[in-house]
């Protein structure tokens, strides 16, 4: 349970909206679920049908934002309203880092949660939005404990990991490899008469796995940091560590005490298969965001369904094997070159 | 004699971990072994499982889960497999699936368990910007005094995109457990927690508060339904749990 579990109803028992309890409550209701990026009402309905616990409404999925380049901003309110009208599940939307006016507009639209996202172009290189001033809850990206606790101190009700969304390093590299090499790594089931040697195959798999693991290293590091600091740390150590990672000491103390972040923590960035989902859930995240992974694949309905089920059954190997079967190619049609800029580095104040 | 009882929380999606934490606190004071289990598979719905919580989360997500491998029909089968039947408690999305009638379902309808003679409306209290907390009135002494650490007549109600109970079918023995007062546009007071036979449901989230009385009440209900007729609950409940249902 998060830091806001204290009851904050006033003495007369009147109704209170927008308290931290209520804001983090929505994040808690999303646990064990999958939140899907959608760019129109039709995709939102597919997401709802597949069992997504919320949708992220945006004009372009991160992979396309990166491909197009330029400044990317909050989505058109018209689009967000259409998506909100199309489904009965919560609708989230993104604002640029530090752009509190975009956040005010989204709050006025009545979106259920705001993602202050590094995927859009940051608007302020010194400040993030003061999220305590809003009734609507915020989710923010973080790469490490310090970043996560700074966002929580600013009022974030939920944290997600940052990934190189959409394109993901691993995918870019494997696509590049594919161009250089006539063997299609994504279709290795269909390699008739052109079998690579077993060794080569194993090497390829290992290579991909290594990249995948590297990509999610931030979570492992975060968990390890919490573990390290748990219990063993006395107050003076806490002070010095809080100083080192630039976070409020109270929040750090609480995280150390409960052995995890004091708010719900989701994984995001480059998840494309039931195995990806299981990996992250086993590493201890509360749920997952999926961006380009669904609608950039060639069989979105089936993949969406399989990935939602994988969040529930992440511990069940047999079930995962079943769910992973025959999902078509993951994330087809992305044609992106090298990453000119890494989004995960986007955080105000922390140049 | 009864040895070990299982109480389960449906772990499809939502705040199941919070429910398990609350249950753990409640059962630690009992002189009886409970197994608290996360239920993810219909094979776990056996005769040892004497109570089940269907937690909040999204009812549409729950629905897809119910459709998998005939989970719903196995759940319904389990719910009437013994006499007295196992106790089932739905919070938020759980209230929706236990209701006989549901309004504002997603397009195409949803799978429901039913059993509670109430009409429930999804997202009744609006989107997240209308989510709220407010003190509720507890209507029965059993609930007020079911857990020795708190005897307040109020309960912290936390409503997250909550469903609402719009109508209760008369003559069906539905008992109102808690009411919300003074909500604009609603009858004053309005029922927000009910029970009927072995079923309990509420539109708010007791698992998000620190008040454990709903969980204690649920555990009592499970004990009561599972103990052989003549056996007194005194055998199992120590002096910290003084009041016998």
């Amino acid at each position: 349970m998060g830091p806001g579990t204290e009851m904050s109803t006033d003495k007369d028992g009147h109704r209170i909206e927008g308290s931290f309890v209520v804001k983090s409550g929505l994040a808690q209701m999303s646990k064990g679920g999958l939140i899907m990026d959608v760019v129109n009402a039709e995709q939102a309905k597919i997401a709802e049908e597949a069992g997504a616990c919320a949708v992220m409404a945006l004009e372009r999925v991160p992979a396309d934002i990166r491909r197009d380049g330029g400044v990317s901003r909050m989505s058109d309110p018209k689009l967000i309203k259409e998506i909100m009208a199309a489904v009965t599940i919560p609708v989230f939307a993104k604002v640029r880092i530090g752009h509190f006016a975009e956040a005010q507009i989204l709050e006025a639209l009545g979106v259920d949660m705001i993602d202050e996202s590094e995927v859009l172009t940051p608007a302020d290189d010194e400040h993030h939005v003061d999220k305590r001033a809003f009734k609507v809850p915020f989710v923010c990206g973080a790469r490490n404990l310090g970043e996560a606790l700074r966002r929580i101190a600013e009022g974030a009700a939920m944290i997600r990991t940052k990934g190189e969304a959409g394109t993901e390093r691993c995918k870019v590299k494997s696509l590049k490899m594919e161009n250089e090499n006539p063997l299609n790594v994504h279709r290795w089931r269909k390699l008739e008469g052109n079998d690579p040697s077993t060794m080569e195959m194993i090497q390829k798999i290992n290579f991909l796995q290594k990249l995948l693991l590297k990509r999610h290293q931030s979570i492992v590091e975060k968990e390890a940091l919490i573990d390290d600091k748990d219990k063993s740390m006395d107050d003076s150590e806490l002070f010095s560590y809080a100083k080192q990672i630039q976070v409020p000491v109270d929040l750090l103390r609480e995280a150390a005490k409960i052995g995890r972040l004091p708010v719900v923590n989701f994984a995001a960035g480059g998840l494309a298969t039931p195995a990806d989902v299981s990996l992250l859930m086993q590493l201890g995240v509360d749920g997952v965001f999926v961006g380009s992974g669904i609608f950039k694949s060639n069989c979105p309905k089936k993949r969406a369904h399989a990935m939602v089920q994988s969040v529930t059954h992440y511990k069940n190997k047999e079930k995962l094997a079943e769910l992973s079967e025959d999902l078509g190619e993951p994330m087809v049609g992305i044609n992106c070159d090298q990453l000119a800029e890494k989004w995960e580095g986007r955080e105000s104040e922390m140049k | 004699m009864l040895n070990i009882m299982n109480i389960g929380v449906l772990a499809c999606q939502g705040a199941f971990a919070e429910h398990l934490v609350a249950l753990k606190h409640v059962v630690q004071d009992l002189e009886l072994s409970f197994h608290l289990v996360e239920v993810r598979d219909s094979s776990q719905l056996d005769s040892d499982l004497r109570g089940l919580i269907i937690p909040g989360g999204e009812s549409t997500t729950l629905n897809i889960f119910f459709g998998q491998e005939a989970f719903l029909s196995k759940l319904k089968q389990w719910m009437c497999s013994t006499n007295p039947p196992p106790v089932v408690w739905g919070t938020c999305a759980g209230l929706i699936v236990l209701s006989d009638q549901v309004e504002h379902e997603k397009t195409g309808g949803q799978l429901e368990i039913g059993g509670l003679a109430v009409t429930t409306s999804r997202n009744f209290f609006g989107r997240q910007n209308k989510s709220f907390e407010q003190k509720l009135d507890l209507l029965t002494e059993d609930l007020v005094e079911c857990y020795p650490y708190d005897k307040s007549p109020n309960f912290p109600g936390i409503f997250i995109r909550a469903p609402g109970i719009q109508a209760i079918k008369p003559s069906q023995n539905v008992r109102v457990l808690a009411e919300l007062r003074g909500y604009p546009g609603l009858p004053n007071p309005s029922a927000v927690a009910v029970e009927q036979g072995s079923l309990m449901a509420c539109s708010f989230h007791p698992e998000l508060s620190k008040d454990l009385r709903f969980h204690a009440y649920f555990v009592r209900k499970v004990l009561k339904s599972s103990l052989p007729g003549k056996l007194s609950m005194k055998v199992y409940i120590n002096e910290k749990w003084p009041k016998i249902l």
Side-chain angles (χ1 to χ4, degrees), chain A residues 9 22 41 91 143 161 169 219 225-226 235 245 249 258 298:
Chain A
T9 313
V22 164
V91 176
R143 279 167 306 171
T161 58
R169 276 157 283 183
I219 299 175
L225 272 177
I226 295 174
D235 257 15
I245 64 170
V249 70
I258 61 177
N298 66 359

Side-chain angles (χ1 to χ4, degrees), chain A residues 19 23 38 41 121 132 135 149 169 172 176 190 197-198 259 292 302 304 315 321 324 340-341 349:
Chain A
S19 62
K23 292 199 277 190
V38 296
T121 312
R132 295 166 306 176
K135 265 172 73 178
L149 293 180
R169 276 157 283 183
V172 174
K176 223 168 107 189
K190 295 180 187 170
S197 69
T198 317
S292 334
K302 196 169 178 189
K315 285 189 262 191
S324 304
E341 185 198 359
E349 300 169 88

